[in-house]
Amino acid sequence: METRCENCIVRKFNSLRAMNKEELKQVSDAKVTKKFKKGDALFEEGEKLNGVYCVRDGVSKLSKLSANGKDQIVKLATTGEVMGQRAVIVEEPTNLSAVAVNDMEVCFVPKEIIVDSMHKNPDFTLEVLRHMAHDLKEADDVIVNMSQKTVKQRVAEAFLYLKNNYGVDEEGFLNLTLSREDIANVVGTATESCIRIISEFKKKGFLKTSGKRIGIVKEKELQSLIDGF
Amino acid sequence: METRCENCIVRKFNSLRAMNKEELKQVSDAKVTKKFKKGDALFEEGEKLNGVYCVRDGVSKLSKLSANGKDQIVKLATTGEVMGQRAVIVEEPTNLSAVAVNDMEVCFVPKEIIVDSMHKNPDFTLEVLRHMAHDLKEADDVIVNMSQKTVKQRVAEAFLYLKNNYGVDEEGFLNLTLSREDIANVVGTATESCIRIISEFKKKGFLKTSGKRIGIVKEKELQSLIDGF
DNA sequence: AACAAAACCTGACATATATCATGTTTTCTC
DNA sequence: GAGAAAACATGATATATGTCAGGTTTTGTT
């Protein structure tokens, strides 16, 4: 396992790539690598974060509890992504919970180092800003989808998202397997509705399943359904 | 009319407050003040922005067109807020349209100056970052509301939002008057549904109306409706 | 291998919300 | 101030989706 941040490939994909050697050394010296099992919580909504979490391996769901007791998954964070940045920047408790979707390896970086770099290195700050700007755009898109698309369309979209971002295995099943409940929480619907729609897609030959695993069979048909026939 | 940014109060509320004297002078020299009438578009989705828009007076709706031809209003930008920052940072066409909700006065600041400051002044960059982090949190909240709350709850929420952010006049009507269609587009519902809910609230004595103008009569009742009775 | 727990699935039903159609009121324009 | 256009309003109806309730299958644990 590579323990020096300077040599970590993961870094290439996130804002840490804008750090200079000295800063990276600091991060490397202060960081703590942690492992989480599938289902473990990295942090909970309302918690004060003392640093950020850089994903080395695995996927985490970032969710927010609603008044009626349902989780809404707002984002999936993957290898290379940094979690908790927002809360550290605004110095507020985090508004999201992070739970491991599969086994994870994560580097925890104390906030002092991040904050320090943000004050001194505009390139780094700007890089963080770019990432946040990207997230904000995605959030805007989600808002529009939520209000304007049907549940069926959003479920279809979720599968294409999973395919495009995590790929498929040799048998054609999605690499990232989410429970039906998680999919429902991404899409913002009831678990039963989600299951029903998956069944329908299966019946129509758009999808295939094998246990929890799901594979996309007719991508075009799914896409045209999303676009509104 | 105050034309020097250094003396502009509006600036106190946005990221420009982190600029130093020199930078402000640059902005002041380069900015162009523009006026827009109610209904005018400041910019359209997909347009390349050559700068940012700082709102001196009036309110603008930021919206995104969905596949089915409906506008979803993602945010209302008020005095002091800066629009178009996101697009300038990521150097992409803007994902949102901006239309004046009432008569507006806006300062256009060429992007070069903004970008330049972001490279040189970490305080400014950090301040922009803080604002974006705030917007992102709000967007997350909207996502959760969209998927977990009923239309009725969201309409009620919209009115409280308008009251808290824009206040009421002497007669108790909301200072910011939106059309029923705009409210529907904020909330993400059909105009007819929105109208029906307003009628219902009026019948129950929660709201009062006078033409387009709307006043909140029973705030507590609206709040408890939002919270789920 | 046996059992429990969790995840998945399906039916029946209720209901919130969209859609269409039509009429009224308000606002705008000349 | 008259006429046109836009905004507002309401009824009737269809339907997507949530909820409750009862199953089966899969997964995990000892």
Coordinates of all heavy atoms in Angstrom, one line a residue, chain B residues 190-228:
Chain B
A190 N -47.4 21.8 -11.2 CA -48.2 22.4 -12.2 C -48.8 23.7 -11.7 O -49.2 23.8 -10.5 CB -49.3 21.4 -12.7
T191 N -48.9 24.7 -12.6 CA -49.5 25.9 -12.2 C -50.9 25.8 -11.6 O -51.2 26.4 -10.5 CB -49.6 26.9 -13.4 OG1 -48.4 26.9 -14.0 CG2 -50.0 28.3 -13.0
E192 N -51.7 24.9 -12.1 CA -53.1 24.7 -11.6 C -53.0 24.2 -10.2 O -53.8 24.6 -9.3 CB -53.9 23.7 -12.5 CG -54.1 24.2 -13.9 CD -53.1 23.6 -14.9 OE1 -51.9 23.6 -14.5 OE2 -53.4 23.3 -16.0
S193 N -52.1 23.2 -10.0 CA -52.0 22.7 -8.6 C -51.6 23.7 -7.6 O -52.2 23.8 -6.5 CB -50.9 21.6 -8.6 OG -51.3 20.5 -9.5
C194 N -50.7 24.6 -8.0 CA -50.3 25.7 -7.2 C -51.5 26.6 -6.8 O -51.7 26.9 -5.7 CB -49.2 26.4 -7.9 SG -48.5 27.8 -6.9
I195 N -52.2 27.0 -7.8 CA -53.4 27.9 -7.7 C -54.4 27.2 -6.7 O -54.9 27.9 -5.8 CB -54.0 28.2 -9.0 CG1 -53.1 29.1 -9.8 CG2 -55.4 28.8 -8.8 CD1 -53.6 29.3 -11.2
R196 N -54.6 26.0 -6.9 CA -55.6 25.2 -6.1 C -55.1 25.2 -4.6 O -56.0 25.5 -3.7 CB -55.7 23.8 -6.6 CG -57.0 23.4 -7.1 CD -57.0 21.9 -7.5 NE -56.5 21.7 -8.8 CZ -57.3 21.8 -9.9 NH1 -58.6 22.0 -9.8 NH2 -56.8 21.6 -11.1
I197 N -53.9 25.0 -4.4 CA -53.4 25.0 -3.0 C -53.5 26.4 -2.4 O -53.9 26.5 -1.2 CB -51.9 24.4 -3.0 CG1 -52.0 22.9 -3.3 CG2 -51.3 24.7 -1.6 CD1 -50.6 22.3 -3.6
I198 N -53.2 27.4 -3.2 CA -53.3 28.8 -2.6 C -54.8 29.0 -2.3 O -55.1 29.6 -1.2 CB -52.8 29.8 -3.7 CG1 -51.3 29.7 -3.8 CG2 -53.2 31.2 -3.2 CD1 -50.7 30.5 -4.9
S199 N -55.7 28.6 -3.1 CA -57.1 28.8 -2.8 C -57.5 28.1 -1.5 O -58.2 28.6 -0.7 CB -58.0 28.2 -4.0 OG -57.7 28.8 -5.1
E200 N -57.0 26.8 -1.4 CA -57.2 26.1 -0.2 C -56.7 26.8 1.1 O -57.4 26.9 2.1 CB -56.6 24.7 -0.3 CG -57.0 23.7 0.8 CD -56.1 22.5 0.8 OE1 -55.7 22.0 -0.3 OE2 -55.8 22.0 1.9
F201 N -55.5 27.3 1.0 CA -54.9 28.0 2.1 C -55.7 29.2 2.5 O -55.9 29.6 3.6 CB -53.4 28.4 1.8 CG -52.5 27.2 1.9 CD1 -51.2 27.4 1.4 CD2 -52.8 26.0 2.4 CE1 -50.3 26.3 1.4 CE2 -51.9 25.0 2.5 CZ -50.6 25.1 2.0
K202 N -56.2 29.9 1.4 CA -57.0 31.1 1.6 C -58.3 30.7 2.3 O -58.7 31.3 3.3 CB -57.4 31.7 0.3 CG -57.3 33.2 0.2 CD -57.4 33.7 -1.2 CE -58.8 34.1 -1.6 NZ -58.8 34.6 -3.1
K203 N -58.9 29.6 1.9 CA -60.2 29.2 2.5 C -60.0 28.8 3.9 O -60.8 29.1 4.8 CB -60.7 27.9 1.7 CG -62.2 28.0 1.4 CD -62.6 26.9 0.4 CE -62.4 27.3 -1.1 NZ -62.5 26.2 -2.0
K204 N -58.8 28.2 4.2 CA -58.5 27.9 5.6 C -58.1 29.0 6.5 O -57.8 28.9 7.7 CB -57.4 26.8 5.6 CG -57.9 25.4 5.2 CD -56.8 24.4 5.4 CE -57.3 23.0 5.0 NZ -56.2 22.0 4.8
G205 N -57.9 30.2 5.8 CA -57.5 31.4 6.6 C -56.0 31.5 6.8 O -55.6 32.3 7.6
F206 N -55.2 30.6 6.1 CA -53.8 30.7 6.3 C -53.2 31.9 5.5 O -52.2 32.5 5.9 CB -53.1 29.4 5.8 CG -53.5 28.2 6.6 CD1 -53.0 26.9 6.2 CD2 -54.2 28.2 7.7 CE1 -53.4 25.8 6.9 CE2 -54.6 27.1 8.4 CZ -54.1 25.9 8.0
L207 N -53.8 32.2 4.4 CA -53.3 33.2 3.5 C -54.4 34.2 3.2 O -55.6 33.9 3.4 CB -52.8 32.6 2.2 CG -51.6 31.7 2.2 CD1 -51.4 31.2 0.7 CD2 -50.4 32.3 2.7
K208 N -54.0 35.4 2.8 CA -55.0 36.3 2.2 C -54.4 36.8 0.9 O -53.2 36.8 0.7 CB -55.2 37.5 3.2 CG -54.0 38.4 3.4 CD -54.3 39.6 4.3 CE -53.0 40.3 4.6 NZ -53.2 41.5 5.5
T209 N -55.3 37.2 0.0 CA -54.8 37.6 -1.3 C -55.5 38.9 -1.7 O -56.6 39.2 -1.2 CB -55.0 36.6 -2.4 OG1 -56.4 36.5 -2.7 CG2 -54.4 35.3 -2.1
S210 N -54.8 39.6 -2.6 CA -55.4 40.8 -3.2 C -54.8 41.0 -4.6 O -53.7 41.5 -4.7 CB -55.1 42.0 -2.3 OG -55.3 43.2 -3.0
G211 N -55.5 40.5 -5.6 CA -54.9 40.4 -6.9 C -53.8 39.3 -6.8 O -54.0 38.3 -6.3
K212 N -52.6 39.7 -7.4 CA -51.5 38.8 -7.3 C -50.9 38.8 -5.9 O -50.2 37.8 -5.6 CB -50.4 39.2 -8.3 CG -50.8 39.4 -9.7 CD -49.7 39.8 -10.6 CE -48.5 38.8 -10.4 NZ -47.7 38.7 -11.6
R213 N -51.1 39.8 -5.2 CA -50.4 39.9 -3.9 C -50.9 38.9 -2.9 O -52.1 38.6 -2.8 CB -50.6 41.3 -3.3 CG -49.9 42.4 -4.2 CD -49.9 43.7 -3.4 NE -51.2 44.1 -3.0 CZ -51.5 45.0 -2.1 NH1 -50.5 45.5 -1.4 NH2 -52.7 45.3 -1.8
I214 N -50.0 38.4 -2.1 CA -50.3 37.3 -1.2 C -49.8 37.7 0.2 O -48.7 38.2 0.3 CB -49.7 36.0 -1.6 CG1 -50.5 35.5 -2.9 CG2 -49.8 34.9 -0.5 CD1 -50.0 34.3 -3.5
G215 N -50.6 37.5 1.2 CA -50.1 37.8 2.6 C -50.3 36.5 3.5 O -51.2 35.8 3.3
I216 N -49.3 36.3 4.4 CA -49.4 35.2 5.3 C -50.2 35.6 6.5 O -49.9 36.6 7.2 CB -48.0 34.7 5.7 CG1 -47.3 34.2 4.5 CG2 -48.1 33.7 6.8 CD1 -45.8 33.8 4.8
V217 N -51.3 34.9 6.8 CA -52.1 35.2 8.0 C -51.8 34.3 9.2 O -51.6 34.8 10.3 CB -53.6 35.1 7.6 CG1 -54.4 35.5 8.8 CG2 -53.9 36.0 6.4
K218 N -51.7 33.0 8.9 CA -51.4 32.1 10.0 C -50.1 31.4 9.8 O -50.1 30.3 9.3 CB -52.6 31.1 10.1 CG -53.9 31.7 10.5 CD -54.9 30.7 11.0 CE -56.2 31.3 11.4 NZ -57.2 30.3 11.7
E219 N -49.0 32.0 10.2 CA -47.7 31.5 9.9 C -47.5 30.1 10.7 O -46.9 29.2 10.1 CB -46.6 32.5 10.4 CG -45.2 32.0 10.1 CD -44.2 33.2 10.1 OE1 -44.6 34.3 10.1 OE2 -43.0 32.8 10.1
K220 N -48.0 30.1 11.9 CA -47.8 28.9 12.7 C -48.4 27.7 12.1 O -47.8 26.6 12.0 CB -48.4 29.1 14.1 CG -47.4 29.6 15.2 CD -48.0 29.4 16.5 CE -47.1 29.8 17.6 NZ -47.7 29.8 19.0
E221 N -49.6 27.9 11.6 CA -50.3 26.8 10.9 C -49.6 26.3 9.7 O -49.5 25.1 9.4 CB -51.8 27.2 10.6 CG -52.7 27.1 11.7 CD -52.6 28.3 12.6 OE1 -51.7 29.1 12.4 OE2 -53.4 28.4 13.6
L222 N -49.1 27.2 8.9 CA -48.3 26.9 7.8 C -47.0 26.1 8.2 O -46.7 25.1 7.6 CB -47.9 28.1 7.0 CG -49.0 28.8 6.1 CD1 -48.4 30.0 5.4 CD2 -49.5 27.8 5.1
Q223 N -46.4 26.6 9.2 CA -45.2 25.9 9.7 C -45.4 24.5 10.1 O -44.7 23.6 9.8 CB -44.6 26.7 10.8 CG -43.2 26.2 11.2 CD -42.2 26.2 10.1 OE1 -41.9 27.2 9.5 NE2 -41.6 25.0 9.8
S224 N -46.5 24.3 10.8 CA -46.8 22.9 11.3 C -47.2 22.0 10.2 O -47.0 20.8 10.3 CB -47.8 23.0 12.5 OG -49.1 23.4 12.0
L225 N -47.8 22.6 9.2 CA -48.1 21.8 8.0 C -46.8 21.3 7.3 O -46.7 20.2 6.9 CB -48.9 22.7 7.0 CG -49.6 22.0 5.9 CD1 -50.8 22.8 5.4 CD2 -48.8 21.7 4.7
I226 N -45.8 22.2 7.2 CA -44.5 21.9 6.7 C -43.9 20.8 7.5 O -43.3 19.9 6.9 CB -43.6 23.1 6.6 CG1 -44.2 24.2 5.7 CG2 -42.2 22.8 6.2 CD1 -43.5 25.5 5.8
D227 N -43.9 20.9 8.8 CA -43.3 19.9 9.6 C -44.0 18.6 9.7 O -43.5 17.7 10.3 CB -43.2 20.5 11.1 CG -42.4 21.8 11.1 OD1 -41.5 22.0 10.2 OD2 -42.6 22.6 12.0
G228 N -45.2 18.5 9.1 CA -45.9 17.3 9.0 C -46.9 17.2 10.1 O -47.0 16.2 10.8

